[in-house]
Amino acid sequence: MGNIKKLAGATIWYGVPTIVHRFLGFILQLFLTSVFPAEKFGEVGQLYAFIPFCNIIFTYGLETSYFRFTQSVEKDRLFNTLNVSMIVSTILFSGILLIGSPVLADGLGFPGRADLVMLATGVLFFDTLTTIPFARLRQEGRPRKFAAVKLATILVQIVLTVFILKYAPKLHAQGYLSWYNPDRGVEYFVIANMIASACSLLFLSKEFSTFRWKFDKTLWKEVILYSWPLIAIGLGGMINEMLSRLIFPQVYPASREVSMSLLGIFSANYKLAVLITISITAFRMGAEPFFFNQSDRKDAPQTYARVMKYFTMFMGAAFLVVALFLDIWSWLITRGADKSYAEGLHVVPVLAMATVFLGIYYNLTIWYKLTNRNLMGVWITMGGALVTIVLNIWWIPQFSYTGSAWATFVCYASMMTASYLLGQKYYPVPYEVPKVLGYLGLAAALYVLHDYIKAQGLGFWPVHIAAVVELGVYLAVIAWSERKDIARLLSRKAG
């Protein structure tokens, strides 16, 4: 139980900055849905589905490699080598994107708007250069600086975005800000993002001050040999998460205006699973070093099983918070002029449970990382990507973004199942499968019950009182079922 406490502490230390950062990003999204109609938000969603794909290529697994190799390599030598590699490759990749920006803009559905791709390249450029310095902060256990830079960056972006999109048009109408063009709302949002990313690099100047232009070719080859499967895994993961938003306008049988409007609705509602996404991100930041540190212990499999159980318990509660209070989420995203965003709320529970499956999958991936079978992780991820591609092409024309949501659900469920079955073959862990499935089933059943209660038209307060009661029932069942383990976990004697 002491090990579980250590993981909880690590998750808090490195997760809280991420939670606050993502929450502020969510607040920024709420602002965007209040100033952009669904069609314009669809453009934002499509462009910001392109950036993460490129980010996988730009960083090519060096962050994870930094954590891995600091265990056996002199840190300054590793820091210098990886930074040299990152700087050179970032310049090269950015140049390729800038040269190909007209073609890429056409392919993304922004004909004649190469400037959008150029601005996105600027975001990628600055974000990539901060990768290794951020990794160093985490590895050295400096969460305060990590948090300060992350929060300062998103605050800069929020302030710039609000000024440019809300106040600049008014000043322009009064004869000020002659440079402002009211027709370029999406471009100004990306500019604000790029400036914030550049500020992030500036905030990390102290970390860069220790950098020296020294490159160890032998070490670099070892790192690349380790990291290249991570590129394939990352790309597969991005396909699973972002593909639907990239191909939606191409495969949905309607005009571009209608397709982009529907895509905007889907993108806004996809982000409503933010509570679960944030929780998983926080967990991963603490769990990655924890799992490796525990690997030499004889009771490591038992520890991994306990972590899975507690993780699932928490994720079930997070799912219910999202799914039982959809009316509140609806109010948050429709407080602007465009009320059409609420049309997509029915996909939020599907996406929320799919994200829970993804979190469980992340837990399960420890088997191939510990047994040096990263290529099997590639095959699992690519299998999920194939499911995503086939189902999106098949279901989007028939069911619109509802088809995309269910494609995501099936994809993550299949990856979770495949990883569990293979993991039990190569690195058996005594997961409490009946309890894990039971807690997820209980959460799903309570949501179905709530959906039935809501359909009776009882009004806002009775429905939400019922939601609170249902959440309480879930927590009470957990508390009773796990009362002995929870008591040991909370005990000062644990660990």
Side-chain angles (χ1 to χ4, degrees):
M1 286 297 170
N3 293 332
I4 304 298
K5 277 189 171 183
K6 291 179 182 178
L7 174 58
T11 301
I12 292 172
W13 272 110
Y14 293 103
V16 167
T18 302
I19 290 172
V20 177
H21 180 268
R22 293 293 295 271
F23 179 75
L24 290 174
F26 178 61
I27 297 300
L28 178 59
Q29 178 207 307
L30 297 180
F31 170 74
L32 292 179
T33 58
S34 72
V35 297
F36 286 153
E39 180 184 349
K40 286 292 184 181
F41 196 81
E43 293 181 359
V44 174
Q46 192 166 24
L47 185 64
Y48 276 78
F50 164 73
I51 290 176
F53 274 101
C54 293
N55 188 60
I56 299 298
I57 302 296
F58 271 58
T59 57
Y60 48 98
L62 290 194
E63 180 182 38
T64 302
S65 298
Y66 182 82
F67 295 130
R68 166 67 176 79
F69 281 85
T70 49
Q71 307 300 317
S72 58
V73 176
E74 195 271 319
K75 293 182 180 179
D76 286 340
R77 181 160 65 100
L78 179 66
F79 184 74
N80 291 331
T81 298
L82 296 194
N83 265 314
V84 170
S85 179
M86 191 75 84
I87 292 170
V88 172
S89 60
T90 299
I91 294 172
L92 175 63
F93 294 152
S94 297
I96 293 172
L97 288 184
L98 291 175
I99 293 171
S101 57
V103 176
L104 285 170
D106 290 345
L108 290 170
F110 305 120
R113 299 174 68 185
D115 56 325
L116 274 177
V117 176
M118 293 179 179
L119 291 171
T121 301
V123 174
L124 282 163
F125 180 87
F126 292 114
D127 281 350
T128 303
L129 294 184
T130 63
T131 301
I132 302 303
F134 270 131
R136 188 167 200 171
L137 288 177
R138 286 179 60 195
Q139 194 278 325
E140 292 178 350
R142 298 166 60 193
R144 294 182 182 179
K145 178 64 177 288
F146 180 91
V149 175
K150 287 287 187 180
L151 297 181
T153 301
I154 189 64
L155 286 173
V156 168
Q157 184 178 357
I158 290 174
V159 170
L160 288 175
T161 301
V162 171
F163 172 77
I164 293 176
L165 296 181
K166 187 175 181 64
Y167 296 104
K170 297 177 181 178
L171 293 172
H172 177 75
Q174 295 172 7
Y176 303 101
L177 304 181
S178 58
W179 51 266
Y180 186 81
N181 185 345
D183 297 327
R184 294 187 171 272
V186 175
E187 286 85 347
Y188 288 135
F189 171 67
V190 185
I191 289 173
N193 191 168
M194 183 176 66
I195 294 173
S197 297
C199 288
S200 181
L201 188 62
L202 180 64
F203 298 149
L204 291 167
S205 58
K206 185 176 181 179
E207 281 61 45
F208 265 110
S209 68
T210 63
F211 165 63
R212 300 292 180 268
W213 197 267
K214 295 180 180 180
F215 183 75
D216 188 322
K217 185 177 180 180
T218 302
L219 173 61
W220 182 79
K221 288 182 178 179
E222 293 178 11
V223 170
I224 294 301
L225 185 64
Y226 174 83
S227 68
W228 78 261
L230 301 176
I231 303 174
I233 292 173
L235 287 174
M238 282 299 106
I239 288 174
N240 296 333
E241 184 176 352
M242 298 292 184
L243 182 77
S244 59
R245 281 165 276 181
L246 282 173
I247 69 171
F248 190 96
Q250 281 71 43
V251 300
Y252 187 71
S255 66
R256 173 173 170 78
E257 290 74 18
V258 172
S259 296
M260 293 304 291
S261 179
L262 291 173
L263 178 59
I265 294 170
F266 181 58
S267 297
N269 283 279
Y270 200 116
K271 292 180 181 294
L272 286 182
V274 66
L275 177 63
I276 296 176
T277 305
I278 285 174
S279 301
I280 292 173
T281 301
F283 172 80
R284 290 185 69 189
M285 294 184 73
E288 188 173 23
F290 173 84
F291 283 154
F292 281 105
N293 291 338
Q294 294 294 313
S295 61
D296 293 334
R297 297 172 60 100
K298 292 183 180 180
D299 64 345
Q302 288 73 27
T303 299
Y304 300 150
R306 288 194 206 99
V307 169
M308 173 67 82
K309 182 176 68 173
Y310 287 116
F311 177 82
T312 306
M313 288 160 47
F314 181 82
M315 285 296 102
F319 166 80
L320 289 175
V321 170
V322 171
L324 298 182
F325 300 95
L326 284 181
D327 287 345
I328 296 176
W329 301 122
S330 174
W331 175 80
L332 285 173
I333 67 170
T334 60
R335 59 192 182 85
D338 194 335
K339 304 297 183 183
S340 63
Y341 290 111
E343 296 173 7
L345 281 171
H346 64 280
V347 304
V348 175
V350 178
L351 293 169
M353 185 57 77
T355 308
V356 172
F357 292 160
L358 178 62
I360 294 174
Y361 167 72
Y362 287 145
N363 269 271
L364 295 169
T365 59
I366 190 62
W367 69 267
Y368 66 72
K369 294 176 181 177
L370 292 180
T371 59
N372 295 321
R373 289 184 170 88
N374 285 353
L375 282 177
M376 297 194 74
V378 173
W379 288 115
I380 294 172
T381 305
M382 290 305 172
L386 180 61
V387 170
T388 299
I389 293 170
V390 171
L391 293 185
N392 271 284
I393 293 176
W394 180 14
W395 286 347
I396 286 177
Q398 299 182 58
F399 309 111
S400 184
Y401 52 76
T402 304
S404 289
W406 280 105
T408 301
F409 182 95
V410 174
C411 167
Y412 290 150
S414 63
M415 290 174 60
M416 175 184 68
T417 303
S419 187
Y420 170 75
L421 294 175
L422 288 170
Q424 292 304 97
K425 178 180 179 180
Y426 293 104
Y427 188 88
V429 173
Y431 294 117
E432 298 183 59
V433 176
K435 281 193 173 183
V436 168
L437 294 180
Y439 293 145
L440 292 180
L442 175 61
L446 288 170
Y447 166 69
V448 171
L449 173 62
H450 181 76
D451 202 41
Y452 172 79
I453 293 173
K454 188 177 178 180
Q456 306 309 306
L458 301 177
F460 180 88
W461 288 110
V463 167
H464 286 84
I465 289 173
V468 172
V469 171
E470 288 155 352
L471 180 59
V473 168
Y474 177 84
L475 296 176
V477 171
I478 293 292
W480 175 256
S481 177
E482 304 295 335
R483 59 192 182 280
K484 294 181 180 179
D485 277 359
I486 293 174
R488 286 198 297 269
L489 183 63
L490 297 177
S491 173
R492 294 181 179 179
K493 295 181 181 180

Coordinates of all heavy atoms in Angstrom, one line a residue, residues 75-117:
K75 N 23.8 12.8 -17.4 CA 22.7 13.6 -17.8 C 23.0 14.8 -18.7 O 22.3 15.0 -19.7 CB 22.0 14.1 -16.5 CG 21.4 13.0 -15.7 CD 20.6 13.6 -14.5 CE 20.0 12.5 -13.7 NZ 19.3 13.0 -12.5
D76 N 24.1 15.5 -18.5 CA 24.5 16.6 -19.4 C 24.7 16.1 -20.8 O 24.4 16.8 -21.8 CB 25.6 17.4 -18.8 CG 25.3 18.2 -17.6 OD1 24.1 18.5 -17.4 OD2 26.2 18.5 -16.8
R77 N 25.4 15.0 -20.9 CA 25.7 14.5 -22.2 C 24.4 14.1 -23.0 O 24.3 14.4 -24.2 CB 26.6 13.2 -22.1 CG 27.0 12.6 -23.4 CD 28.3 11.7 -23.2 NE 28.0 10.6 -22.4 CZ 27.7 9.3 -22.8 NH1 27.7 9.1 -24.1 NH2 27.5 8.3 -22.0
L78 N 23.5 13.5 -22.3 CA 22.2 13.1 -22.8 C 21.4 14.4 -23.2 O 20.9 14.5 -24.3 CB 21.4 12.3 -21.9 CG 20.0 11.8 -22.3 CD1 20.1 10.9 -23.5 CD2 19.3 11.1 -21.2
F79 N 21.4 15.4 -22.3 CA 20.6 16.6 -22.5 C 21.2 17.3 -23.8 O 20.4 17.8 -24.6 CB 20.8 17.5 -21.3 CG 20.0 18.8 -21.4 CD1 18.6 18.8 -21.2 CD2 20.6 20.0 -21.6 CE1 17.8 19.9 -21.3 CE2 19.9 21.2 -21.6 CZ 18.5 21.1 -21.5
N80 N 22.5 17.4 -23.9 CA 23.1 18.1 -25.0 C 22.8 17.4 -26.3 O 22.4 18.0 -27.3 CB 24.6 18.3 -24.8 CG 24.9 19.3 -23.7 OD1 24.2 20.2 -23.5 ND2 26.0 19.0 -23.0
T81 N 23.0 16.1 -26.3 CA 22.8 15.3 -27.5 C 21.4 15.3 -28.0 O 21.1 15.6 -29.2 CB 23.2 13.8 -27.3 OG1 24.6 13.8 -26.9 CG2 23.0 13.0 -28.5
L82 N 20.4 15.2 -27.1 CA 19.0 15.2 -27.6 C 18.6 16.6 -28.0 O 17.8 16.7 -28.9 CB 18.1 14.7 -26.4 CG 18.3 13.2 -26.0 CD1 17.2 12.7 -25.1 CD2 18.5 12.3 -27.2
N83 N 19.1 17.6 -27.4 CA 18.7 19.0 -27.8 C 19.3 19.3 -29.2 O 18.6 19.9 -30.0 CB 19.2 20.0 -26.7 CG 18.1 20.4 -25.8 OD1 17.0 20.6 -26.1 ND2 18.5 20.4 -24.5
V84 N 20.5 18.9 -29.4 CA 21.1 19.1 -30.7 C 20.3 18.4 -31.8 O 19.9 19.0 -32.8 CB 22.6 18.6 -30.8 CG1 23.1 18.6 -32.3 CG2 23.5 19.5 -30.0
S85 N 19.9 17.2 -31.5 CA 19.1 16.4 -32.4 C 17.7 17.1 -32.7 O 17.3 17.2 -33.8 CB 18.9 15.0 -31.9 OG 18.1 14.2 -32.8
M86 N 17.1 17.6 -31.6 CA 15.8 18.2 -31.7 C 15.9 19.5 -32.4 O 15.0 19.8 -33.2 CB 15.3 18.4 -30.3 CG 13.8 18.8 -30.2 SD 12.7 17.4 -30.5 CE 12.6 16.7 -28.9
I87 N 16.9 20.3 -32.2 CA 17.0 21.6 -32.8 C 17.1 21.5 -34.3 O 16.4 22.1 -35.2 CB 18.1 22.4 -32.2 CG1 17.8 22.9 -30.8 CG2 18.4 23.7 -33.1 CD1 19.0 23.5 -30.1
V88 N 18.1 20.6 -34.7 CA 18.3 20.4 -36.2 C 17.1 19.8 -36.9 O 16.7 20.3 -37.9 CB 19.6 19.4 -36.3 CG1 19.7 19.0 -37.8 CG2 20.8 20.1 -35.8
S89 N 16.5 18.8 -36.3 CA 15.4 18.1 -36.9 C 14.1 19.1 -37.0 O 13.4 19.1 -38.0 CB 15.0 16.9 -36.2 OG 14.6 17.1 -34.9
T90 N 14.0 19.9 -36.0 CA 12.9 20.9 -35.9 C 13.0 21.9 -37.1 O 12.0 22.2 -37.7 CB 12.8 21.6 -34.6 OG1 12.6 20.6 -33.5 CG2 11.6 22.6 -34.6
I91 N 14.2 22.4 -37.3 CA 14.4 23.3 -38.4 C 14.1 22.6 -39.7 O 13.5 23.2 -40.6 CB 15.8 23.9 -38.3 CG1 16.1 24.7 -37.1 CG2 16.2 24.7 -39.6 CD1 17.5 25.1 -36.9
L92 N 14.6 21.4 -39.8 CA 14.4 20.7 -41.1 C 12.9 20.4 -41.3 O 12.4 20.7 -42.4 CB 15.2 19.3 -41.0 CG 14.9 18.4 -42.2 CD1 15.5 19.0 -43.5 CD2 15.7 17.0 -42.0
F93 N 12.2 19.9 -40.3 CA 10.8 19.5 -40.5 C 9.9 20.8 -40.7 O 9.0 20.8 -41.5 CB 10.3 18.8 -39.3 CG 10.9 17.4 -39.1 CD1 11.0 16.9 -37.8 CD2 11.3 16.7 -40.1 CE1 11.5 15.6 -37.6 CE2 11.9 15.4 -40.0 CZ 12.0 14.9 -38.7
S94 N 10.3 21.9 -40.0 CA 9.5 23.1 -40.2 C 9.7 23.6 -41.6 O 8.7 24.1 -42.2 CB 10.0 24.2 -39.2 OG 9.8 23.8 -37.9
G95 N 10.9 23.5 -42.1 CA 11.1 24.0 -43.5 C 10.3 23.2 -44.5 O 9.8 23.8 -45.5
I96 N 10.2 21.9 -44.3 CA 9.4 21.0 -45.2 C 8.0 21.5 -45.2 O 7.3 21.6 -46.2 CB 9.6 19.6 -44.8 CG1 11.0 19.1 -45.1 CG2 8.6 18.7 -45.6 CD1 11.3 17.7 -44.6
L97 N 7.4 21.7 -44.0 CA 6.0 22.1 -43.9 C 5.8 23.5 -44.5 O 4.8 23.7 -45.2 CB 5.6 22.2 -42.4 CG 5.4 20.9 -41.7 CD1 4.9 21.1 -40.2 CD2 4.5 20.0 -42.4
L98 N 6.7 24.4 -44.3 CA 6.6 25.7 -44.9 C 6.6 25.7 -46.4 O 5.7 26.3 -47.1 CB 7.7 26.7 -44.4 CG 7.6 27.1 -42.9 CD1 8.8 27.9 -42.6 CD2 6.3 27.8 -42.6
I99 N 7.5 24.9 -47.0 CA 7.5 24.7 -48.5 C 6.3 24.1 -49.0 O 5.7 24.5 -50.0 CB 8.8 23.9 -48.9 CG1 10.1 24.7 -48.5 CG2 8.8 23.6 -50.3 CD1 11.3 23.9 -48.7
G100 N 5.8 23.1 -48.3 CA 4.6 22.3 -48.7 C 3.3 22.9 -48.2 O 2.2 22.2 -48.4
S101 N 3.3 24.1 -47.6 CA 2.1 24.6 -47.0 C 0.9 24.8 -48.0 O -0.2 24.5 -47.6 CB 2.4 25.9 -46.3 OG 2.9 26.9 -47.2
P102 N 1.1 25.2 -49.2 CA 0.0 25.3 -50.1 C -0.7 24.0 -50.4 O -1.9 23.9 -50.4 CB 0.6 25.9 -51.4 CG 1.8 26.6 -51.0 CD 2.4 25.8 -49.8
V103 N 0.1 22.9 -50.6 CA -0.5 21.6 -50.8 C -1.1 21.1 -49.6 O -2.2 20.5 -49.7 CB 0.7 20.6 -51.3 CG1 0.1 19.2 -51.5 CG2 1.3 21.1 -52.6
L104 N -0.5 21.3 -48.4 CA -1.1 20.8 -47.2 C -2.4 21.5 -46.9 O -3.4 20.9 -46.4 CB -0.1 21.0 -46.0 CG 1.1 20.0 -46.0 CD1 2.1 20.5 -44.9 CD2 0.6 18.6 -45.6
A105 N -2.5 22.8 -47.2 CA -3.7 23.6 -46.9 C -4.8 23.0 -47.8 O -6.0 22.9 -47.3 CB -3.5 25.0 -47.2
D106 N -4.6 22.7 -49.0 CA -5.6 22.1 -49.9 C -6.0 20.8 -49.3 O -7.2 20.4 -49.3 CB -5.0 21.9 -51.3 CG -4.8 23.3 -52.0 OD1 -5.4 24.3 -51.5 OD2 -4.1 23.3 -53.0
G107 N -5.1 19.9 -48.9 CA -5.4 18.6 -48.4 C -6.2 18.7 -47.1 O -7.0 17.8 -46.9
L108 N -6.0 19.7 -46.3 CA -6.7 19.8 -45.0 C -8.1 20.5 -45.2 O -8.8 20.6 -44.3 CB -5.9 20.6 -44.0 CG -4.7 19.9 -43.5 CD1 -3.8 20.9 -42.7 CD2 -5.0 18.8 -42.6
G109 N -8.4 20.9 -46.4 CA -9.7 21.5 -46.7 C -9.7 23.0 -46.5 O -10.7 23.6 -46.3
F110 N -8.4 23.6 -46.6 CA -8.3 25.1 -46.5 C -7.7 25.6 -47.8 O -6.6 26.2 -47.8 CB -7.5 25.5 -45.3 CG -7.9 24.9 -44.0 CD1 -7.1 24.1 -43.3 CD2 -9.2 25.2 -43.5 CE1 -7.5 23.6 -42.1 CE2 -9.6 24.7 -42.3 CZ -8.7 23.9 -41.6
P111 N -8.4 25.5 -48.9 CA -7.7 25.9 -50.2 C -7.4 27.4 -50.2 O -8.2 28.2 -49.8 CB -8.8 25.6 -51.2 CG -10.1 25.5 -50.5 CD -9.7 25.0 -49.1
G112 N -6.2 27.7 -50.7 CA -5.8 29.1 -50.8 C -5.4 29.7 -49.4 O -5.2 30.9 -49.3
R113 N -5.3 28.9 -48.3 CA -5.0 29.5 -47.0 C -3.8 28.8 -46.4 O -3.8 28.3 -45.3 CB -6.2 29.3 -46.1 CG -7.5 30.0 -46.6 CD -8.7 29.7 -45.8 NE -8.6 30.2 -44.5 CZ -9.6 30.0 -43.5 NH1 -10.6 29.2 -43.8 NH2 -9.4 30.5 -42.3
A114 N -2.7 28.9 -47.2 CA -1.5 28.3 -46.8 C -1.0 29.0 -45.5 O -0.2 28.4 -44.7 CB -0.4 28.5 -47.9
D115 N -1.4 30.2 -45.2 CA -1.0 30.9 -44.0 C -1.4 30.1 -42.7 O -0.7 30.2 -41.7 CB -1.5 32.3 -44.0 CG -3.0 32.4 -44.1 OD1 -3.6 31.5 -44.8 OD2 -3.6 33.3 -43.5
L116 N -2.5 29.4 -42.8 CA -2.9 28.6 -41.6 C -1.9 27.5 -41.3 O -1.5 27.3 -40.2 CB -4.3 28.0 -41.9 CG -5.5 28.9 -41.6 CD1 -6.8 28.1 -41.9 CD2 -5.6 29.3 -40.1
V117 N -1.4 26.9 -42.3 CA -0.4 25.8 -42.1 C 0.9 26.4 -41.7 O 1.6 25.9 -40.8 CB -0.2 25.0 -43.4 CG1 0.9 24.0 -43.3 CG2 -1.5 24.3 -43.9

